[in-house]
């Protein structure tokens, strides 16, 4: 008889896969409908002294079965880990909340102090979140370190309930002792969208303890990404940030690039399939270049990134000693761009770090002929917009010419009637910025720098870059007076601007306006002249210019680009200065 009992116990323990403090029924495919179907499990839970973890993954648990299991857990005060993913397969959604409530109430009654709560792959929707709401707000979750809710279909509503529960838990735990310090948050494939992500961002910011955030495939656009960017800045120990397959666009990518500057412990960044685009990639490259000392993995795949931006990223990771993987697959490099990138990685002894480029989409425009039928209307609209812009520019130029003719006529009339020079039209900054000329700049007088500062909104990176290029366009190396006026004005403008805007914002806007990277906004590049590069070379050497922007500028200036072909010597001088400045810093 005793032998039979020992045999049964051994068989039961073998099925349960007992480890230290853990009872596991993982992947056994049991259909647990009622109390009778879980008699064996209940008995094993009751008899397990010091139970700390229960694995029910890969089974299907009904309401009555959950109640019976819960009853057995009511005395397990040492319980810590709930591994309960994929345990409601085939159940009605209405069955899940009461089942979860029963289990949660039992843990609270036992006085359990949870560290892991894993309910992934249960597709329980917002109602399922309600089923764990009481538990999350209770003292049993004050000690929670890992919350795994991947693929639960929470939706916006569920995300808001979850966020409110975490905030409440943090508030209550702080009042009673150590605050909730969640370390791992996983909630991919939950349709959280912007509102759900924004709500959770508030909880993340409040806790400030996260080390891993995984939120891929949630339909989050740039407003939600911006909210998350603000939140992650307050989590300095963050090691992994996975936002794969959400839609950053430039706005979200730039905000996230700024946030990453605060994360010295970050090791894995997964922004694959996030549509960061060239401007966003350049901003991220700048952040990587200036910091992130222990970065191991950077995924910017499938982001519509072009060759120049990809090379900027490659330059940025060049001196990352712990780097293990750079993924730039599925972007818009083109065959030649892929070769250039591979060559650079090989020359930098980083060839083994670069992921496959087999899914590259080709350079933008490669498929224009094939897509003419589908995109014809869009192309026509774009052409119409360009035509309208050109017409407006022509009209503005005509107006300016008329204005100048009238001005000349006034001067001629004035000389005829001996009108003193003081009657001439006073200097006009807006006229200079609209249609720059050396003469107009000089006529602004000794206070030109202050006048330009007052006219330009330096808190706006795009407007600052536009003003810089207009001032620089009249630069003349062989005219000392004009040269001094340009450099004096540039120094005043940028010194003030960099006190209120981030360097990468200015550089990104500048690269777009120079036609070196494409923007999601329809921005018509300027015609690059030598003065632009000569003034930029001067600015780079000044103490106000952010040194972290130098590597990004160097990467883009080193690439062959038609926009720069007419400025050979100026470009070479700028490249030399950029290289020297980067080395010195």
């Amino acid at each position: 008889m005793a032998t039979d009992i020992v045999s049964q116990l051994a068989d039961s323990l073998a099925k349960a896969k007992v480890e230290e403090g853990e009872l596991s029924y993982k992947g056994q495919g049991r259909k647990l409908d009622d109390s009778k179907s879980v008699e064996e499990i209940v008995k094993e839970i009751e008899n397990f002294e010091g139970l700390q973890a229960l694995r029910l993954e890969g089974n299907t648990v009904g309401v009555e079965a959950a109640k019976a299991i819960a009853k057995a857990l009511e005395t397990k005060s040492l319980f810590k880990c709930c591994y309960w993913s994929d345990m409601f397969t085939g159940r009605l959604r209405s069955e899940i909340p009461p089942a979860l409530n029963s289990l949660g109430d039992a843990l609270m009654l036992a006085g359990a102090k949870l560290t892991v709560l894993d309910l992934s792959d249960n597709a329980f929707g917002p109602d399922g979140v309600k089923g764990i709401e009481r538990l999350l707000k209770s003292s049993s979750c004050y000690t929670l370190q890992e919350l795994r809710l991947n693929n639960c279909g929470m939706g916006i509503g569920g995300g808001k309930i979850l966020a409110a529960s975490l905030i409440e838990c943090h508030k209550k735990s702080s009042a009673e002792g150590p605050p909730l310090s969640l370390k791992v948050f996983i909630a991919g494939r939950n349709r959280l969208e912007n509102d759900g992500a924004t709500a959770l961002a508030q909880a993340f910011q409040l806790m400030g303890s996260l080390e891993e955030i995984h939120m891929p495939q949630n339909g989050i656009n740039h407003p939600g990404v911006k909210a998350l960017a603000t939140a992650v800045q307050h989590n300095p120990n963050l090691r992994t940030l996975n936002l794969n397959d959400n839609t950053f666009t430039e706005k979200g990518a730039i905000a996230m690039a700024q946030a990453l500057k605060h994360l010295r412990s970050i090791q894995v960044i997964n922004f694959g399939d996030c549509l960061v685009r060239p401007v966003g990639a350049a901003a991220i490259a700048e952040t990587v270049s200036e910091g992130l000392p222990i970065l191991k993995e950077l995924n910017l795949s499938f982001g519509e990134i072009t060759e120049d931006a990809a090379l900027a990223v490659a330059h940025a990771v060049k001196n990352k000693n712990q780097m293990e993987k750079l993924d730039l697959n599925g972007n818009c490099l083109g065959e030649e761009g892929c070769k250039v990138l591979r060559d650079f990685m090989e020359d930098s002894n980083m060839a083994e770090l670069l992921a496959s480029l087999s899914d590259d989409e080709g350079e933008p425009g490669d498929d224009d002929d094939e897509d003419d039928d589908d995109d014809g209307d869009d192309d026509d609209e774009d052409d119409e917009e360009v035509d309208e812009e050109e017409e407006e520019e022509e009209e503005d130029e005509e107006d300016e010419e008329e204005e100048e003719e009238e001005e000349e006529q006034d001067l001629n009339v004035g000389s005829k009637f001996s009108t003193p020079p003081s009657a001439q039209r006073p200097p006009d900054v807006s006229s200079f910025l609209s249609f720059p000329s050396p003469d107009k700049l000089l006529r602004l007088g000794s206070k030109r720098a202050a006048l330009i500062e007052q006219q330009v909104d330096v808190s706006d990176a795009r407007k600052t870059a536009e003003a810089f290029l207009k001032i620089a366009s009249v630069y003349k190396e062989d005219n000392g007076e004009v040269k001094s006026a340009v450099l004096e004005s540039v120094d005043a403008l940028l010194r003030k601007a960099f006190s209120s805007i981030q360097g990468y914002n200015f550089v990104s806007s500048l690269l777009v306006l120079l036609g070196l990277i494409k923007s999601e906004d329809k921005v018509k590049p300027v015609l690059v002249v030598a003065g632009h590069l000569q003034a930029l070379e001067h600015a780079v050497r000044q103490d106000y210019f952010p040194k972290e922007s130098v590597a990004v500028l160097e990467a883009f200036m080193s690439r062959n680009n038609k926009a720069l072909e007419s400025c050979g010597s100026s470009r070479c001088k700028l490249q030399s200065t950029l290289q020297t400045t980067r080395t010195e810093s």
Side-chain angles (χ1 to χ4, degrees):
M1 186 71 176
T3 305
D4 291 340
I5 293 174
V6 172
S7 177
Q8 289 175 4
L9 180 59
D11 183 56
S12 177
L13 290 175
K15 287 181 181 178
K17 297 180 183 175
V18 177
E19 295 183 13
E20 185 178 356
E22 177 183 295
L23 193 55
S24 176
Y25 303 93
K26 181 178 179 180
Q28 294 185 9
R30 299 192 187 193
K31 193 170 187 297
L32 307 173
D33 295 324
D34 50 33
S35 58
K36 184 173 179 57
S37 64
V38 293
E39 284 179 350
E40 179 188 348
I41 294 175
V42 167
K43 188 175 294 185
E44 288 165 355
I45 292 174
E46 290 174 342
N47 293 335
F48 198 123
E49 300 223 359
L51 181 65
Q52 296 182 27
L54 177 62
R55 290 189 173 274
L56 294 173
E57 309 104 307
N59 298 286
T60 176
V61 182
V63 176
E64 295 305 316
K67 287 180 179 178
I69 293 172
K71 186 69 177 174
L73 289 172
E74 287 180 358
T75 60
K76 303 301 176 183
S77 61
L78 299 178
F79 195 82
K80 294 180 179 179
C81 303
C82 306
Y83 297 108
W84 297 345
S85 64
D86 189 23
M87 70 171 197
F88 294 115
T89 302
R91 300 292 170 184
L92 295 175
R93 182 169 289 188
S94 59
E95 294 181 77
I96 299 176
L100 291 173
N101 273 319
S102 296
L103 293 165
D105 290 346
L107 297 176
M108 288 187 280
L109 184 61
K113 300 298 181 184
L114 297 185
T115 57
V116 178
L117 178 58
D118 185 356
L119 289 166
S120 297
D121 301 316
N122 279 312
F124 48 48
D127 291 340
V129 184
K130 292 178 182 177
I132 57 172
E133 186 176 5
R134 281 203 304 267
L135 175 62
L136 287 173
K137 292 179 179 179
S138 75
S139 59
S140 287
C141 283
Y142 289 179
T143 52
L144 194 63
Q145 295 184 12
E146 298 184 19
L147 180 57
R148 302 171 180 267
L149 297 169
N150 201 58
N151 192 30
C152 288
M154 289 189 289
I156 295 172
K160 288 182 175 180
I161 296 169
L162 178 60
S165 299
L166 292 173
I167 291 171
E168 179 70 13
C169 183
H170 186 274
K171 180 181 177 181
K172 290 168 64 177
S173 61
S174 299
E176 297 179 25
L180 170 65
S181 298
L182 195 67
K183 290 181 170 57
V184 177
F185 180 84
I186 300 176
R189 300 183 66 187
N190 270 292
R191 304 192 306 277
L192 294 170
E193 300 182 15
N194 291 332
D195 289 346
T198 300
L200 285 166
Q202 295 174 355
F204 296 167
Q205 183 169 336
L206 182 65
M207 291 185 291
S209 56
L210 286 164
E211 296 178 6
E212 294 185 30
I213 297 175
H214 302 264
M215 297 175 66
Q217 291 184 304
N218 269 296
I220 306 170
N221 298 325
H222 71 82
V225 173
K226 283 184 174 181
L228 289 171
T230 300
V232 299
Q233 294 181 44
H234 297 271
N235 288 265
N237 296 321
L238 195 66
R239 291 183 284 107
T240 299
L241 182 56
N242 176 6
L243 295 175
N244 188 283
D245 200 8
N246 290 291
T247 307
F248 283 34
T249 64
E250 293 172 7
K251 295 175 182 177
I254 289 173
M256 197 57 75
Q258 170 63 15
L260 289 171
K261 291 175 182 282
H262 300 266
L263 304 179
R264 301 281 297 175
S265 299
I266 198 77
Q267 296 179 12
V268 177
I269 299 171
N270 186 343
F271 295 160
D273 208 10
C274 285
L275 209 65
V276 299
R277 292 182 173 154
V279 171
I284 293 168
E286 182 174 313
T287 294
V288 172
S289 178
E290 71 178 44
L292 314 190
I294 58 174
L295 185 65
K296 292 182 178 180
E297 183 175 330
L298 177 59
N299 185 344
L300 295 178
S301 60
F302 297 94
E304 292 190 0
I305 300 171
T306 54
E307 177 186 345
D308 290 340
L311 283 166
V313 173
H315 276 274
V317 303
K318 185 175 181 180
N319 296 316
K320 302 300 172 186
N321 297 329
Q322 298 190 38
M323 199 71 188
E324 296 175 359
K325 183 179 181 181
L326 173 62
D327 193 345
L328 292 169
N329 194 24
N331 282 299
C332 304
L333 310 186
E335 186 175 345
E336 179 62 25
C338 288
K339 182 181 184 303
V340 171
L341 178 60
R342 289 193 190 99
D343 289 346
F344 173 80
M345 295 294 284
E346 187 171 344
D347 293 343
S348 304
N349 296 317
M350 298 190 297
E352 72 281 359
L353 306 184
L354 184 63
S356 168
L357 298 175
S358 60
D359 295 318
D360 187 75
E361 298 286 344
E363 292 184 64
D366 280 356
D367 298 327
D368 285 352
D369 292 338
E370 297 176 14
D371 297 336
D372 279 348
D373 293 338
D374 295 333
D375 299 336
D377 293 339
D378 292 338
D379 292 342
D380 289 343
E381 290 177 9
D382 291 345
D383 290 341
E384 288 174 9
E385 290 182 10
V386 171
D387 290 342
E388 288 174 6
E389 290 174 3
E390 290 176 350
E391 287 174 9
E392 289 173 3
E393 289 178 4
E394 288 172 3
E395 289 173 4
D396 289 340
E397 288 172 2
E398 289 173 4
D399 291 342
E400 177 65 12
E401 288 172 4
E402 290 175 7
E403 185 180 298
E404 290 179 351
E405 286 174 6
E406 290 172 3
E407 194 172 305
E408 289 175 5
Q409 289 173 3
D410 289 343
L411 291 175
N412 291 335
V413 170
S415 60
K416 181 178 179 180
F417 292 96
S418 302
T419 305
S422 59
Q424 293 181 18
R425 184 176 299 178
D428 183 355
V429 178
S430 60
S431 175
F432 166 71
L433 291 174
S434 297
F435 301 95
S437 72
D439 182 58
K440 285 183 181 178
L441 181 63
L442 294 178
R443 282 173 50 206
L444 290 175
S446 60
K447 295 183 179 180
R448 65 179 68 85
L451 292 171
I452 291 172
E453 271 187 56
Q454 294 170 8
Q455 183 75 18
V456 179
D457 179 8
V458 294
S459 65
D460 187 312
R462 175 66 60 79
K463 291 178 180 176
T464 302
E466 288 174 346
F468 167 80
L469 291 174
K470 287 178 178 179
I471 298 168
S473 68
V474 304
Y475 180 97
K476 289 185 179 298
E477 183 66 35
D478 56 356
N479 187 323
E481 187 179 9
V482 173
K483 177 181 177 179
S484 296
V486 168
L487 298 184
E488 174 192 334
S489 301
V490 163
D491 285 341
L493 175 72
L494 295 187
R495 191 179 298 278
K496 184 177 180 181
F498 287 132
S499 68
S500 59
I501 61 174
Q502 295 295 327
Y504 70 86
N505 283 333
F506 171 79
V507 170
S508 296
S509 297
L510 185 66
L511 293 172
V512 168
L513 290 168
L514 290 173
L516 301 183
I517 55 177
K518 291 186 178 180
S519 169
E520 62 192 46
D521 300 324
K522 292 180 179 177
V523 177
K524 186 177 181 180
V526 301
L527 176 64
V528 182
V529 296
H532 291 146
L533 305 189
Q534 290 165 326
L536 184 57
E537 188 271 337
H538 164 81
V540 167
R541 288 188 279 109
Q542 307 311 306
D543 58 1
Y544 59 72
F545 198 88
K547 302 308 176 188
E548 63 270 16
S549 299
V550 171
V552 175
L553 272 176
E554 183 184 6
F556 279 92
M557 290 298 165
S558 65
R559 298 300 309 135
N560 291 326
N561 193 299
K562 291 182 180 179
L564 304 175
E565 285 180 353
S566 62
C567 309
S569 59
S570 300
R571 179 186 180 184
C572 289
K573 185 177 180 182
L574 174 58
Q575 284 180 283
S576 177
T577 299
L578 288 167
Q579 185 176 11
T580 302
T581 305
R582 178 175 57 81
T583 304
E584 290 175 350
S585 61

